[in-house]
Amino acid sequence: MLQALKRNIAIIAGGFAITIFVMVGVVYVGSQTINEIVETEVAGRTDNFAHLLVSEPDAVDAFLTGISRNPDVEATIRKIANLSGITRFSIFDRTGDEIYTSRSDRYDWLLRDRPGGMSSKDSLSSSILEKTGNWRVLVPDEEHNISSVLRPLLRNGERIGFLQVKADPTASHAMFTGLLFKAFAYTGLIFLAATGVPILAFLIRRRRIAEADARIAYLASHDSLTQLLNRASMHAETDTLMMTARATRERMGFFFIDLDELGEINASLGQANGDEILKIIAARLAGLCHKDDLVARIGPDDFAVLRRRLGSLNDARAFARRLTNALCEPIERCGEMVKPSISIGCAMVPGDGRSHTELVKHAELAHMRHKSSKQDDLVFFEAWMDEDNHRRRQIEARLRHAIESDGFELYYQPLVCGFDNQVLGYEALIRLRDAEGKPIPPSEFIPIAEARGYIKSIGTFVIQEATRQVAQWPQEIFVSVNLSTVQFVDGDLLNIVADAISAAGIEGKRLELEVVESLLLERSDDVLRQLKALRGLGVKIAMDDFGTGYSSLSYLWRFPFDKLKIDQSFMFAMARGETKVEQLVRTIVSMAHHMGMKVVTEGVEEKVQVDMLRECGCDQIQGYYFGRPVPAEELAIESLRQFRRNHSDPRSGDEEGRQEPASTATARMTGDARPIEGDAGPDLGQDGREDRRASA
């Protein structure tokens, strides 16, 4: 009600003012009208009384001449005057002198009405005497509420005297006032009925329109699910505060908060429960903020807070700690306890940005770092993150260009027989160069390709190009290609491989596909079905990176792989002198042979490793000892060069079988020759395969 009054205060005040004006006007007009009616009524009495005096035989003559009057006539006239509401009447002669008055106002306390009357010796003014015709003059007496009417007495058109009548209009005034009040009341009711109902309807409609406009404005500026500010409103409000902060030098923090694994929550509990969890998270978030802070939902699972009046970075850390403690409290839904997890990035104002666009970009970059590391309660934006993001954008642009214009290259690394060093096949490894022709490490562009959805196109290109290339080699040579998890999602991998084999005109056995164990963990049944279909084409299937991750043996009997590839980390550990590595390798080789699978070991760089693998019966060996990845047209030259290095004369200064470390070779290949401290081996990066991944 108060809100309605506040919204319509102007209309109410205007209506009240109009009502007061109308009431005052009606009262004034009514009062004037009543006075005129009363005056007219008194004038009518005077005219009637004057007509009586003139028409009554000898009545007015006796008054005018002073000759003895007939008492009965006088009494009759007095009685008629009283009945007519005339309280006093006076008669003047032609010269304006008063010759008779029924009673004296001047001596009213002393003399009452009496037969014969009296004379107060009053005279009429000359202006009255000069008037001609039949006229009358009304003189109100406000003191006694009595109206006095003066008029000439005419007989046959000749003025014989003057008559003054005083009447008490109180009764008439009261009667007319009552009638006018009733008329006013009825008119007011009709007016209210005619105008009040439309006005009320107008006000109700106006209120509903205002409520609808307010609701529309609210929905336009707030998220419909969480009731927090939306992205557009957060943008505008933040920029407004930033303009003020430039003058006040207020220090603020822009927090980018991501709710991790919302997709998994929706998948397990349903979209409705996921929305309820979002509402709870939003309510908790709003409860932790001051009323002056800005809180918004800027993405499906992303929130933003512009925290005002932050004294230091420690205040920001303390706020992030409270956010983590509150938002990550378990939530019960459908009988299950869900423990939310969040990632927080913070950009400080004004150091990290002077607009909403800069702040949200920088805070999101910091959040991505926190999401990958999960160290501390949050990550603050630093300038190098923007540079790294710029590098990612450049790589992404290069990826798009390479996909559109066949800008990828395939390099091939030999897989040799573990017993006689004969080349059995090659692993296809994808390469990408930047705009200046410098190589981009696969460990950089492959994750970006996966995140941006390019990996399927890249994987298809690798399969098609590798099969085309192997068709130009001798029949006994095969090519090995790595597969990505994404290539199994759409269920069309079988058709892609079949089309590539058919187009190249080769047998399926000349193509080997490598999968990692994590692929089977994520979509085991569907993946196993597709792998079996691929084997139906004659394609060989290898489990890559065996010995890392879960290394679950259950997959070895659920799907009969053709080959196990021992991860290169075993050879790196052996090069560092770690114990029991050799025993583990021997165990894996023995187990695989007992299950009818061949074994290939990656990352071989030293002759002692080759000798150990031959001794334990490893079927195939891959590594820099036998050759680095090169384009197809350079394979013959690289094989000859490697053969010469492996069989060089010890007297020439090269020890037999000595190889340069993989880290040095990789650095030289990428143009990034950085010294490696000690013999810790190369940095394995994200998957330890920076130089040899074909796809994901």
Side-chain angles (χ1 to χ4, degrees), residues 234 238-239 242 252-256 305-306 345-366 381:
M234 183 68 171
T238 300
D239 282 342
M242 294 290 287
M252 300 181 287
F254 191 94
F255 294 82
F256 188 100
V305 175
L306 183 63
C346 179
M348 298 299 294
V349 179
D352 297 333
R354 295 182 176 273
S355 67
H356 173 270
T357 303
E358 292 180 354
L359 287 176
V360 72
K361 181 184 75 171
H362 293 164
E364 186 174 8
L365 289 175
F381 170 77

PDB file of all heavy atoms in Angstrom, residues 234 238-239 242 252-256 305-306 345-366 381:
ATOM      1  N   MET A 234      25.661  -6.479 -15.248  1.00  0.00           N
ATOM      2  CA  MET A 234      26.942  -6.447 -14.528  1.00  0.00           C
ATOM      3  C   MET A 234      27.940  -5.575 -15.286  1.00  0.00           C
ATOM      4  O   MET A 234      28.705  -4.817 -14.676  1.00  0.00           O
ATOM      5  CB  MET A 234      27.481  -7.875 -14.386  1.00  0.00           C
ATOM      6  CG  MET A 234      28.768  -7.983 -13.589  1.00  0.00           C
ATOM      7  SD  MET A 234      28.501  -7.582 -11.850  1.00  0.00           S
ATOM      8  CE  MET A 234      30.077  -8.053 -11.145  1.00  0.00           C
ATOM      9  N   THR A 238      29.320  -2.275 -13.481  1.00  0.00           N
ATOM     10  CA  THR A 238      30.754  -2.256 -13.206  1.00  0.00           C
ATOM     11  C   THR A 238      31.414  -1.042 -13.838  1.00  0.00           C
ATOM     12  O   THR A 238      32.235  -0.361 -13.211  1.00  0.00           O
ATOM     13  CB  THR A 238      31.416  -3.545 -13.719  1.00  0.00           C
ATOM     14  OG1 THR A 238      30.830  -4.673 -13.069  1.00  0.00           O
ATOM     15  CG2 THR A 238      32.907  -3.545 -13.440  1.00  0.00           C
ATOM     16  N   ASP A 239      31.072  -0.756 -15.083  1.00  0.00           N
ATOM     17  CA  ASP A 239      31.661   0.406 -15.743  1.00  0.00           C
ATOM     18  C   ASP A 239      31.286   1.697 -15.022  1.00  0.00           C
ATOM     19  O   ASP A 239      32.095   2.638 -14.931  1.00  0.00           O
ATOM     20  CB  ASP A 239      31.207   0.467 -17.205  1.00  0.00           C
ATOM     21  CG  ASP A 239      31.958  -0.523 -18.086  1.00  0.00           C
ATOM     22  OD1 ASP A 239      33.023  -0.985 -17.655  1.00  0.00           O
ATOM     23  OD2 ASP A 239      31.470  -0.844 -19.179  1.00  0.00           O
ATOM     24  N   MET A 242      33.418   1.879 -11.989  1.00  0.00           N
ATOM     25  CA  MET A 242      34.811   2.139 -12.367  1.00  0.00           C
ATOM     26  C   MET A 242      35.038   3.632 -12.614  1.00  0.00           C
ATOM     27  O   MET A 242      36.087   4.174 -12.279  1.00  0.00           O
ATOM     28  CB  MET A 242      35.171   1.340 -13.614  1.00  0.00           C
ATOM     29  CG  MET A 242      35.170  -0.166 -13.407  1.00  0.00           C
ATOM     30  SD  MET A 242      36.517  -0.732 -12.388  1.00  0.00           S
ATOM     31  CE  MET A 242      37.876  -0.534 -13.511  1.00  0.00           C
ATOM     32  N   MET A 252      39.184  -2.127  -5.476  1.00  0.00           N
ATOM     33  CA  MET A 252      38.170  -3.176  -5.558  1.00  0.00           C
ATOM     34  C   MET A 252      38.783  -4.434  -6.160  1.00  0.00           C
ATOM     35  O   MET A 252      39.883  -4.409  -6.726  1.00  0.00           O
ATOM     36  CB  MET A 252      36.980  -2.710  -6.409  1.00  0.00           C
ATOM     37  CG  MET A 252      36.268  -1.477  -5.884  1.00  0.00           C
ATOM     38  SD  MET A 252      34.862  -0.956  -6.890  1.00  0.00           S
ATOM     39  CE  MET A 252      35.695  -0.285  -8.320  1.00  0.00           C
ATOM     40  N   GLY A 253      38.044  -5.532  -6.027  1.00  0.00           N
ATOM     41  CA  GLY A 253      38.479  -6.796  -6.613  1.00  0.00           C
ATOM     42  C   GLY A 253      37.365  -7.419  -7.432  1.00  0.00           C
ATOM     43  O   GLY A 253      36.212  -7.487  -6.982  1.00  0.00           O
ATOM     44  N   PHE A 254      37.685  -7.848  -8.645  1.00  0.00           N
ATOM     45  CA  PHE A 254      36.710  -8.520  -9.509  1.00  0.00           C
ATOM     46  C   PHE A 254      37.001 -10.021  -9.447  1.00  0.00           C
ATOM     47  O   PHE A 254      38.049 -10.481  -9.900  1.00  0.00           O
ATOM     48  CB  PHE A 254      36.813  -8.008 -10.943  1.00  0.00           C
ATOM     49  CG  PHE A 254      35.685  -8.461 -11.827  1.00  0.00           C
ATOM     50  CD1 PHE A 254      34.563  -7.672 -12.007  1.00  0.00           C
ATOM     51  CD2 PHE A 254      35.731  -9.688 -12.475  1.00  0.00           C
ATOM     52  CE1 PHE A 254      33.520  -8.079 -12.822  1.00  0.00           C
ATOM     53  CE2 PHE A 254      34.695 -10.105 -13.286  1.00  0.00           C
ATOM     54  CZ  PHE A 254      33.588  -9.304 -13.461  1.00  0.00           C
ATOM     55  N   PHE A 255      36.054 -10.786  -8.889  1.00  0.00           N
ATOM     56  CA  PHE A 255      36.236 -12.215  -8.689  1.00  0.00           C
ATOM     57  C   PHE A 255      35.431 -12.989  -9.741  1.00  0.00           C
ATOM     58  O   PHE A 255      34.225 -12.777  -9.883  1.00  0.00           O
ATOM     59  CB  PHE A 255      35.775 -12.636  -7.292  1.00  0.00           C
ATOM     60  CG  PHE A 255      36.607 -12.074  -6.173  1.00  0.00           C
ATOM     61  CD1 PHE A 255      36.397 -10.782  -5.702  1.00  0.00           C
ATOM     62  CD2 PHE A 255      37.615 -12.828  -5.592  1.00  0.00           C
ATOM     63  CE1 PHE A 255      37.148 -10.257  -4.679  1.00  0.00           C
ATOM     64  CE2 PHE A 255      38.383 -12.317  -4.561  1.00  0.00           C
ATOM     65  CZ  PHE A 255      38.154 -11.027  -4.109  1.00  0.00           C
ATOM     66  N   PHE A 256      36.115 -13.865 -10.449  1.00  0.00           N
ATOM     67  CA  PHE A 256      35.469 -14.760 -11.413  1.00  0.00           C
ATOM     68  C   PHE A 256      35.375 -16.126 -10.745  1.00  0.00           C
ATOM     69  O   PHE A 256      36.394 -16.730 -10.399  1.00  0.00           O
ATOM     70  CB  PHE A 256      36.289 -14.844 -12.696  1.00  0.00           C
ATOM     71  CG  PHE A 256      35.602 -15.589 -13.816  1.00  0.00           C
ATOM     72  CD1 PHE A 256      34.964 -14.908 -14.825  1.00  0.00           C
ATOM     73  CD2 PHE A 256      35.593 -16.976 -13.849  1.00  0.00           C
ATOM     74  CE1 PHE A 256      34.328 -15.583 -15.863  1.00  0.00           C
ATOM     75  CE2 PHE A 256      34.966 -17.666 -14.873  1.00  0.00           C
ATOM     76  CZ  PHE A 256      34.329 -16.966 -15.888  1.00  0.00           C
ATOM     77  N   VAL A 305      31.788 -11.373  -8.920  1.00  0.00           N
ATOM     78  CA  VAL A 305      31.560 -10.477  -7.779  1.00  0.00           C
ATOM     79  C   VAL A 305      32.534  -9.309  -7.900  1.00  0.00           C
ATOM     80  O   VAL A 305      33.740  -9.524  -8.043  1.00  0.00           O
ATOM     81  CB  VAL A 305      31.776 -11.196  -6.432  1.00  0.00           C
ATOM     82  CG1 VAL A 305      31.655 -10.196  -5.281  1.00  0.00           C
ATOM     83  CG2 VAL A 305      30.788 -12.336  -6.255  1.00  0.00           C
ATOM     84  N   LEU A 306      31.996  -8.096  -7.862  1.00  0.00           N
ATOM     85  CA  LEU A 306      32.851  -6.914  -7.755  1.00  0.00           C
ATOM     86  C   LEU A 306      32.837  -6.505  -6.292  1.00  0.00           C
ATOM     87  O   LEU A 306      31.875  -5.915  -5.793  1.00  0.00           O
ATOM     88  CB  LEU A 306      32.342  -5.781  -8.642  1.00  0.00           C
ATOM     89  CG  LEU A 306      33.221  -4.525  -8.645  1.00  0.00           C
ATOM     90  CD1 LEU A 306      34.603  -4.832  -9.213  1.00  0.00           C
ATOM     91  CD2 LEU A 306      32.574  -3.399  -9.435  1.00  0.00           C
ATOM     92  N   GLY A 345      39.278 -16.792  -9.747  1.00  0.00           N
ATOM     93  CA  GLY A 345      40.322 -15.899 -10.245  1.00  0.00           C
ATOM     94  C   GLY A 345      39.972 -14.464  -9.892  1.00  0.00           C
ATOM     95  O   GLY A 345      38.789 -14.111  -9.858  1.00  0.00           O
ATOM     96  N   CYS A 346      40.976 -13.664  -9.608  1.00  0.00           N
ATOM     97  CA  CYS A 346      40.725 -12.294  -9.153  1.00  0.00           C
ATOM     98  C   CYS A 346      41.577 -11.310  -9.945  1.00  0.00           C
ATOM     99  O   CYS A 346      42.773 -11.525 -10.151  1.00  0.00           O
ATOM    100  CB  CYS A 346      41.020 -12.163  -7.660  1.00  0.00           C
ATOM    101  SG  CYS A 346      40.759 -10.498  -7.003  1.00  0.00           S
ATOM    102  N   ALA A 347      40.932 -10.219 -10.377  1.00  0.00           N
ATOM    103  CA  ALA A 347      41.631  -9.097 -10.998  1.00  0.00           C
ATOM    104  C   ALA A 347      41.379  -7.870 -10.136  1.00  0.00           C
ATOM    105  O   ALA A 347      40.230  -7.564  -9.813  1.00  0.00           O
ATOM    106  CB  ALA A 347      41.130  -8.861 -12.424  1.00  0.00           C
ATOM    107  N   MET A 348      42.437  -7.189  -9.757  1.00  0.00           N
ATOM    108  CA  MET A 348      42.325  -6.054  -8.851  1.00  0.00           C
ATOM    109  C   MET A 348      42.089  -4.752  -9.628  1.00  0.00           C
ATOM    110  O   MET A 348      42.568  -4.594 -10.748  1.00  0.00           O
ATOM    111  CB  MET A 348      43.583  -5.922  -7.993  1.00  0.00           C
ATOM    112  CG  MET A 348      43.850  -7.125  -7.089  1.00  0.00           C
ATOM    113  SD  MET A 348      42.524  -7.434  -5.903  1.00  0.00           S
ATOM    114  CE  MET A 348      42.659  -5.963  -4.873  1.00  0.00           C
ATOM    115  N   VAL A 349      41.346  -3.861  -8.992  1.00  0.00           N
ATOM    116  CA  VAL A 349      41.044  -2.549  -9.563  1.00  0.00           C
ATOM    117  C   VAL A 349      41.814  -1.494  -8.762  1.00  0.00           C
ATOM    118  O   VAL A 349      41.775  -1.507  -7.525  1.00  0.00           O
ATOM    119  CB  VAL A 349      39.532  -2.258  -9.482  1.00  0.00           C
ATOM    120  CG1 VAL A 349      39.218  -0.877 -10.045  1.00  0.00           C
ATOM    121  CG2 VAL A 349      38.735  -3.329 -10.208  1.00  0.00           C
ATOM    122  N   PRO A 350      42.524  -0.586  -9.456  1.00  0.00           N
ATOM    123  CA  PRO A 350      42.558  -0.379 -10.912  1.00  0.00           C
ATOM    124  C   PRO A 350      43.746  -1.019 -11.604  1.00  0.00           C
ATOM    125  O   PRO A 350      43.902  -0.867 -12.811  1.00  0.00           O
ATOM    126  CB  PRO A 350      42.647   1.132 -11.015  1.00  0.00           C
ATOM    127  CG  PRO A 350      43.477   1.512  -9.826  1.00  0.00           C
ATOM    128  CD  PRO A 350      43.135   0.547  -8.733  1.00  0.00           C
ATOM    129  N   GLY A 351      44.597  -1.748 -10.869  1.00  0.00           N
ATOM    130  CA  GLY A 351      45.840  -2.235 -11.458  1.00  0.00           C
ATOM    131  C   GLY A 351      45.660  -3.204 -12.603  1.00  0.00           C
ATOM    132  O   GLY A 351      46.440  -3.194 -13.565  1.00  0.00           O
ATOM    133  N   ASP A 352      44.625  -4.052 -12.558  1.00  0.00           N
ATOM    134  CA  ASP A 352      44.459  -5.109 -13.561  1.00  0.00           C
ATOM    135  C   ASP A 352      43.400  -4.789 -14.605  1.00  0.00           C
ATOM    136  O   ASP A 352      43.064  -5.654 -15.420  1.00  0.00           O
ATOM    137  CB  ASP A 352      44.100  -6.430 -12.865  1.00  0.00           C
ATOM    138  CG  ASP A 352      45.204  -6.914 -11.948  1.00  0.00           C
ATOM    139  OD1 ASP A 352      46.365  -6.572 -12.210  1.00  0.00           O
ATOM    140  OD2 ASP A 352      44.904  -7.627 -10.974  1.00  0.00           O
ATOM    141  N   GLY A 353      42.877  -3.592 -14.594  1.00  0.00           N
ATOM    142  CA  GLY A 353      41.886  -3.243 -15.608  1.00  0.00           C
ATOM    143  C   GLY A 353      41.126  -1.993 -15.229  1.00  0.00           C
ATOM    144  O   GLY A 353      40.924  -1.704 -14.041  1.00  0.00           O
ATOM    145  N   ARG A 354      40.680  -1.274 -16.234  1.00  0.00           N
ATOM    146  CA  ARG A 354      39.929  -0.044 -16.011  1.00  0.00           C
ATOM    147  C   ARG A 354      38.544  -0.102 -16.643  1.00  0.00           C
ATOM    148  O   ARG A 354      37.887   0.915 -16.803  1.00  0.00           O
ATOM    149  CB  ARG A 354      40.706   1.155 -16.547  1.00  0.00           C
ATOM    150  CG  ARG A 354      42.003   1.399 -15.811  1.00  0.00           C
ATOM    151  CD  ARG A 354      42.732   2.617 -16.322  1.00  0.00           C
ATOM    152  NE  ARG A 354      43.943   2.886 -15.540  1.00  0.00           N
ATOM    153  CZ  ARG A 354      43.963   3.599 -14.431  1.00  0.00           C
ATOM    154  NH1 ARG A 354      42.840   4.113 -13.961  1.00  0.00           N
ATOM    155  NH2 ARG A 354      45.098   3.799 -13.773  1.00  0.00           N
ATOM    156  N   SER A 355      38.111  -1.295 -17.043  1.00  0.00           N
ATOM    157  CA  SER A 355      36.764  -1.470 -17.592  1.00  0.00           C
ATOM    158  C   SER A 355      36.317  -2.889 -17.290  1.00  0.00           C
ATOM    159  O   SER A 355      37.122  -3.753 -16.926  1.00  0.00           O
ATOM    160  CB  SER A 355      36.742  -1.222 -19.107  1.00  0.00           C
ATOM    161  OG  SER A 355      37.469  -2.228 -19.790  1.00  0.00           O
ATOM    162  N   HIS A 356      35.021  -3.120 -17.442  1.00  0.00           N
ATOM    163  CA  HIS A 356      34.489  -4.460 -17.175  1.00  0.00           C
ATOM    164  C   HIS A 356      35.099  -5.478 -18.112  1.00  0.00           C
ATOM    165  O   HIS A 356      35.406  -6.611 -17.711  1.00  0.00           O
ATOM    166  CB  HIS A 356      32.966  -4.439 -17.336  1.00  0.00           C
ATOM    167  CG  HIS A 356      32.337  -5.798 -17.244  1.00  0.00           C
ATOM    168  ND1 HIS A 356      32.143  -6.602 -18.349  1.00  0.00           N
ATOM    169  CD2 HIS A 356      31.889  -6.524 -16.191  1.00  0.00           C
ATOM    170  CE1 HIS A 356      31.583  -7.732 -17.979  1.00  0.00           C
ATOM    171  NE2 HIS A 356      31.424  -7.712 -16.675  1.00  0.00           N
ATOM    172  N   THR A 357      35.265  -5.116 -19.362  1.00  0.00           N
ATOM    173  CA  THR A 357      35.807  -6.057 -20.349  1.00  0.00           C
ATOM    174  C   THR A 357      37.192  -6.536 -19.942  1.00  0.00           C
ATOM    175  O   THR A 357      37.486  -7.744 -19.999  1.00  0.00           O
ATOM    176  CB  THR A 357      35.862  -5.393 -21.736  1.00  0.00           C
ATOM    177  OG1 THR A 357      34.546  -4.948 -22.097  1.00  0.00           O
ATOM    178  CG2 THR A 357      36.370  -6.367 -22.779  1.00  0.00           C
ATOM    179  N   GLU A 358      38.049  -5.617 -19.527  1.00  0.00           N
ATOM    180  CA  GLU A 358      39.395  -6.002 -19.107  1.00  0.00           C
ATOM    181  C   GLU A 358      39.351  -6.833 -17.833  1.00  0.00           C
ATOM    182  O   GLU A 358      40.063  -7.847 -17.703  1.00  0.00           O
ATOM    183  CB  GLU A 358      40.243  -4.749 -18.878  1.00  0.00           C
ATOM    184  CG  GLU A 358      40.561  -3.976 -20.153  1.00  0.00           C
ATOM    185  CD  GLU A 358      41.411  -2.750 -19.859  1.00  0.00           C
ATOM    186  OE1 GLU A 358      41.640  -2.464 -18.667  1.00  0.00           O
ATOM    187  OE2 GLU A 358      41.845  -2.092 -20.821  1.00  0.00           O
ATOM    188  N   LEU A 359      38.519  -6.438 -16.889  1.00  0.00           N
ATOM    189  CA  LEU A 359      38.469  -7.146 -15.611  1.00  0.00           C
ATOM    190  C   LEU A 359      37.990  -8.590 -15.774  1.00  0.00           C
ATOM    191  O   LEU A 359      38.579  -9.516 -15.222  1.00  0.00           O
ATOM    192  CB  LEU A 359      37.538  -6.403 -14.644  1.00  0.00           C
ATOM    193  CG  LEU A 359      38.065  -5.089 -14.072  1.00  0.00           C
ATOM    194  CD1 LEU A 359      37.009  -4.421 -13.212  1.00  0.00           C
ATOM    195  CD2 LEU A 359      39.321  -5.336 -13.256  1.00  0.00           C
ATOM    196  N   VAL A 360      36.906  -8.772 -16.525  1.00  0.00           N
ATOM    197  CA  VAL A 360      36.373 -10.125 -16.661  1.00  0.00           C
ATOM    198  C   VAL A 360      37.338 -11.011 -17.448  1.00  0.00           C
ATOM    199  O   VAL A 360      37.483 -12.209 -17.161  1.00  0.00           O
ATOM    200  CB  VAL A 360      34.970 -10.095 -17.313  1.00  0.00           C
ATOM    201  CG1 VAL A 360      35.043  -9.763 -18.785  1.00  0.00           C
ATOM    202  CG2 VAL A 360      34.253 -11.418 -17.109  1.00  0.00           C
ATOM    203  N   LYS A 361      38.037 -10.437 -18.424  1.00  0.00           N
ATOM    204  CA  LYS A 361      39.014 -11.223 -19.178  1.00  0.00           C
ATOM    205  C   LYS A 361      40.168 -11.644 -18.288  1.00  0.00           C
ATOM    206  O   LYS A 361      40.569 -12.819 -18.263  1.00  0.00           O
ATOM    207  CB  LYS A 361      39.522 -10.421 -20.370  1.00  0.00           C
ATOM    208  CG  LYS A 361      40.534 -11.187 -21.228  1.00  0.00           C
ATOM    209  CD  LYS A 361      41.085 -10.333 -22.354  1.00  0.00           C
ATOM    210  CE  LYS A 361      42.082  -9.332 -21.840  1.00  0.00           C
ATOM    211  NZ  LYS A 361      42.800  -8.634 -22.935  1.00  0.00           N
ATOM    212  N   HIS A 362      40.696 -10.720 -17.518  1.00  0.00           N
ATOM    213  CA  HIS A 362      41.848 -11.019 -16.673  1.00  0.00           C
ATOM    214  C   HIS A 362      41.473 -11.937 -15.516  1.00  0.00           C
ATOM    215  O   HIS A 362      42.226 -12.852 -15.170  1.00  0.00           O
ATOM    216  CB  HIS A 362      42.449  -9.715 -16.152  1.00  0.00           C
ATOM    217  CG  HIS A 362      43.066  -8.887 -17.230  1.00  0.00           C
ATOM    218  ND1 HIS A 362      43.373  -7.551 -17.071  1.00  0.00           N
ATOM    219  CD2 HIS A 362      43.432  -9.199 -18.510  1.00  0.00           C
ATOM    220  CE1 HIS A 362      43.907  -7.083 -18.185  1.00  0.00           C
ATOM    221  NE2 HIS A 362      43.945  -8.061 -19.078  1.00  0.00           N
ATOM    222  N   ALA A 363      40.298 -11.716 -14.914  1.00  0.00           N
ATOM    223  CA  ALA A 363      39.862 -12.596 -13.826  1.00  0.00           C
ATOM    224  C   ALA A 363      39.609 -14.010 -14.337  1.00  0.00           C
ATOM    225  O   ALA A 363      39.883 -14.994 -13.636  1.00  0.00           O
ATOM    226  CB  ALA A 363      38.603 -12.027 -13.174  1.00  0.00           C
ATOM    227  N   GLU A 364      39.087 -14.127 -15.567  1.00  0.00           N
ATOM    228  CA  GLU A 364      38.851 -15.461 -16.131  1.00  0.00           C
ATOM    229  C   GLU A 364      40.168 -16.176 -16.411  1.00  0.00           C
ATOM    230  O   GLU A 364      40.278 -17.396 -16.208  1.00  0.00           O
ATOM    231  CB  GLU A 364      38.021 -15.343 -17.404  1.00  0.00           C
ATOM    232  CG  GLU A 364      37.608 -16.689 -17.980  1.00  0.00           C
ATOM    233  CD  GLU A 364      36.675 -16.555 -19.156  1.00  0.00           C
ATOM    234  OE1 GLU A 364      36.463 -15.423 -19.634  1.00  0.00           O
ATOM    235  OE2 GLU A 364      36.144 -17.587 -19.607  1.00  0.00           O
ATOM    236  N   LEU A 365      41.171 -15.447 -16.876  1.00  0.00           N
ATOM    237  CA  LEU A 365      42.488 -16.061 -17.086  1.00  0.00           C
ATOM    238  C   LEU A 365      43.054 -16.582 -15.769  1.00  0.00           C
ATOM    239  O   LEU A 365      43.594 -17.694 -15.704  1.00  0.00           O
ATOM    240  CB  LEU A 365      43.444 -15.039 -17.709  1.00  0.00           C
ATOM    241  CG  LEU A 365      43.190 -14.650 -19.169  1.00  0.00           C
ATOM    242  CD1 LEU A 365      44.143 -13.543 -19.591  1.00  0.00           C
ATOM    243  CD2 LEU A 365      43.328 -15.861 -20.084  1.00  0.00           C
ATOM    244  N   ALA A 366      42.926 -15.773 -14.705  1.00  0.00           N
ATOM    245  CA  ALA A 366      43.406 -16.207 -13.397  1.00  0.00           C
ATOM    246  C   ALA A 366      42.617 -17.414 -12.908  1.00  0.00           C
ATOM    247  O   ALA A 366      43.190 -18.348 -12.313  1.00  0.00           O
ATOM    248  CB  ALA A 366      43.290 -15.051 -12.403  1.00  0.00           C
ATOM    249  N   PHE A 381      45.397 -12.330 -11.012  1.00  0.00           N
ATOM    250  CA  PHE A 381      45.865 -12.115 -12.381  1.00  0.00           C
ATOM    251  C   PHE A 381      47.271 -11.520 -12.370  1.00  0.00           C
ATOM    252  O   PHE A 381      47.596 -10.649 -11.560  1.00  0.00           O
ATOM    253  CB  PHE A 381      44.915 -11.184 -13.132  1.00  0.00           C
ATOM    254  CG  PHE A 381      45.450 -10.719 -14.449  1.00  0.00           C
ATOM    255  CD1 PHE A 381      45.445 -11.560 -15.547  1.00  0.00           C
ATOM    256  CD2 PHE A 381      45.989  -9.440 -14.590  1.00  0.00           C
ATOM    257  CE1 PHE A 381      45.943 -11.133 -16.765  1.00  0.00           C
ATOM    258  CE2 PHE A 381      46.486  -9.010 -15.798  1.00  0.00           C
ATOM    259  CZ  PHE A 381      46.461  -9.867 -16.892  1.00  0.00           C
TER     260      PHE A 381
END
